[in-house]
Amino acid sequence: MKKAVKDTFLAGIELQAKRIPGEYQNDMVVLGIESSCDETAAAVVKDGCDVLSSVVSSQIEIHHQYGGVVPELASRKHIENIVFVVDEAVQRAGLTLAQIDAVSVTQGPGLIGSLLVGFSFAKSFSFARKIPWVGVDHLEGHISSVFLENNSPSFPFVALLVSGGHTSIYYVTSHTSFTLMGQTRDDAAGEAYDKVAKMLDLGYPGGRVIDDLSKTGNARTIVFPRPFLDKTLFDFSFSGLKTAVNRYIKTNPDDYKGQIPDIVASFQEAVIDVLSFKLFSAAKEKKVNHVAVVGGVAANSRLREVVTEEALKRNMSVHIPSVDFCGDNGAMIAAIGYHYLERGEYSNRGDDVYSRSWVAIGKKHK
Ligand code: KG4
Ligand code: ZN
């Protein structure tokens, strides 16, 4: 690999090792691989919960200039990064390749070209090493990220999944049983954050920037609509709210630039009011005492604060992964894959990637 390529890869990498590895001969050590969008990620996880290493190589710097992910560039970058990322994850875990028992990889949903890189790598790796492998759904991976933390939820629980591509609520009854209760009819919450950030020229991706800027703004300045739809259902719609922000900008062309923190704080409060309301309504409907929030938007500090406060009022336990495991990562993929691998549900040589979530339409992963 050329030095310049290796340097770019190393610059974009985030590393972490939560635990010091010990002797794991009797346990299952799974290599998790994720490449569904713009992050090349690999992790080594023992028994579906014990993270020995997690490496995420982000492509944000590349896509930033285009205001969104460019699929062709993303897949090329995955090809350049995948070997380094996996190698780094195994090394960080303090293991050799011979100590990896099985591989779990994102099979879908996502960008087909990007998925193919991780999926083909995982397939080849497992054939070369003669170990089992399984393809999993990215969404069940996000939901399983709560099991990477010490304080993991008991079953059943209700999970709010909020990311750049999805906004949905699931009733979770076991490690591999997820029932979709509702989902967005148009934009995902993360997508709305990214589009509002784009309108205000705040860069891509917009979630983190809006989160930070909102801390300096007043969320009560502008009353944006709360898109509750039917209050008894758990579907979402954020496109009208996004349009409301756009309309505000257009009707205040001279003033809005001086009000950006207030605009984004007001927008964010509207999104979070709806997310929190629907999450707790779903928990009430299913009579559960545990709720979880997962996905990239779960990193949002205000969302974490509001959901934690609301759970406390209702005497419910709340489970939100640490920020490192909210965004796309390989550890969550290893966490869900472990449960299929453990009961011998492996993937086959002829299996292929898919673009739409199987979990969201209520099918099993294979
Ligand atoms: O789960 P994820 O990494 O990728 C998908 O599967 O989509 O989520 C990415 C999304 C982006 O839309 C990004 O703007 C959003 O998560 N995000 C946030 C924050 N950090 C990332 N949204 C709100 N607040 C944040 N702190
Ligand atoms: Zn994701």
Side-chain angles (χ1 to χ4, degrees):
M1 189 66 69
K2 287 193 205 111
K3 187 177 177 304
V5 173
K6 184 160 186 181
D7 287 349
T8 321
F9 157 72
L10 288 172
I13 209 164
E14 291 163 35
L15 302 169
Q16 54 164 330
K18 280 181 69 186
R19 315 247 165 96
I20 296 165
E23 295 290 320
Y24 296 123
Q25 287 93 335
N26 299 320
D27 307 304
M28 193 193 290
V29 176
V30 176
L31 169 66
I33 297 177
E34 154 63 34
S35 70
S36 64
C37 191
D38 59 344
E39 255 105 26
T40 321
V44 179
V45 178
K46 183 179 73 105
D47 291 342
C49 59
D50 201 355
V51 184
L52 306 185
S53 68
S54 178
V55 176
V56 179
S57 174
S58 170
Q59 302 179 2
I60 285 175
E61 284 312 314
I62 297 156
H63 302 289
H64 183 86
Q65 57 191 302
Y66 302 102
V69 177
V70 183
E72 180 59 25
L73 293 181
S75 38
R76 283 169 195 227
K77 215 63 205 163
H78 285 305
I79 292 172
E80 285 175 10
N81 287 348
I82 189 88
V83 174
F84 284 124
V85 171
V86 170
D87 195 39
E88 192 75 35
V90 175
Q91 279 189 39
R92 293 267 153 180
L95 302 179
T96 63
L97 289 184
Q99 289 169 293
I100 302 295
D101 297 315
V103 183
S104 175
V105 61
T106 306
Q107 191 169 355
L111 302 170
I112 292 296
S114 291
L115 286 164
L116 266 175
V117 178
F119 196 67
S120 310
F121 181 93
K123 223 187 233 190
S124 320
F125 183 92
S126 60
F127 277 108
R129 304 283 333 149
K130 296 187 173 58
I131 55 175
W133 67 292
V134 68
V136 301
D137 194 287
H138 183 79
L139 304 192
E140 55 184 351
H142 270 303
I143 296 169
S144 304
S145 61
V146 286
F147 298 105
L148 300 170
E149 304 297 339
N150 292 331
N151 163 35
S152 55
S154 314
F155 298 109
F157 65 91
V158 164
L160 168 69
L161 192 161
V162 260
S163 71
H166 297 87
T167 297
S168 36
I169 294 183
Y170 289 90
Y171 178 50
V172 187
T173 49
S174 82
H175 281 289
T176 54
S177 311
F178 316 94
T179 307
L180 180 69
M181 296 180 70
Q183 63 185 323
T184 184
R185 295 182 185 176
D186 40 57
D187 291 356
E191 198 179 348
Y193 267 90
D194 295 339
K195 287 179 178 166
V196 165
K198 200 168 177 176
M199 284 174 209
L200 294 166
D201 231 356
L202 301 175
Y204 170 86
R208 176 71 197 275
V209 185
I210 291 184
D211 188 355
D212 290 344
L213 266 177
S214 296
K215 290 177 188 149
T216 60
N218 181 348
R220 290 199 203 95
T221 317
I222 309 151
V223 184
F224 287 123
R226 267 66 174 155
F228 286 111
L229 303 177
D230 182 337
K231 280 199 164 187
T232 63
L233 297 178
F234 309 108
D235 279 355
F236 300 92
S237 166
F238 291 109
S239 71
L241 175 56
K242 187 188 65 188
T243 308
V245 177
N246 195 26
R247 203 175 310 118
Y248 186 86
I249 295 170
K250 295 265 158 61
T251 48
N252 298 279
D254 302 325
D255 310 328
Y256 87 88
K257 283 200 173 144
Q259 304 177 321
I260 288 178
D262 293 340
I263 297 172
V264 294
S266 304
F267 156 78
Q268 171 166 279
E269 209 60 16
V271 173
I272 293 174
D273 270 359
V274 176
L275 293 177
S276 172
F277 175 84
K278 299 265 175 184
L279 170 65
F280 288 102
S281 307
K284 191 172 173 196
E285 162 130 340
K286 292 293 182 190
K287 301 186 175 57
V288 297
N289 289 321
H290 317 288
V291 293
V293 187
V294 297
V297 182
N300 185 273
S301 54
R302 180 73 184 137
L303 176 62
R304 297 171 86 93
E305 186 178 78
V306 169
V307 170
T308 305
E309 277 169 14
E310 292 298 319
L312 200 68
K313 280 186 210 160
R314 294 166 172 81
N315 216 7
M316 285 182 183
S317 76
V318 59
H319 305 268
I320 312 177
S322 58
V323 169
D324 285 335
F325 296 133
C326 289
D328 293 347
N329 64 86
M332 67 185 197
I333 300 304
I336 178 63
Y338 165 79
H339 294 283
Y340 293 116
L341 291 160
E342 202 205 6
R343 52 182 197 234
E345 286 188 37
Y346 307 149
S347 285
N348 300 312
R349 198 186 291 247
D351 290 348
D352 208 346
V353 296
Y354 53 83
S355 59
R356 299 245 161 226
S357 172
W358 287 6
V359 171
I361 57 173
K363 273 171 70 174
K364 290 306 286 179
H365 78 293
K366 58 190 292 258

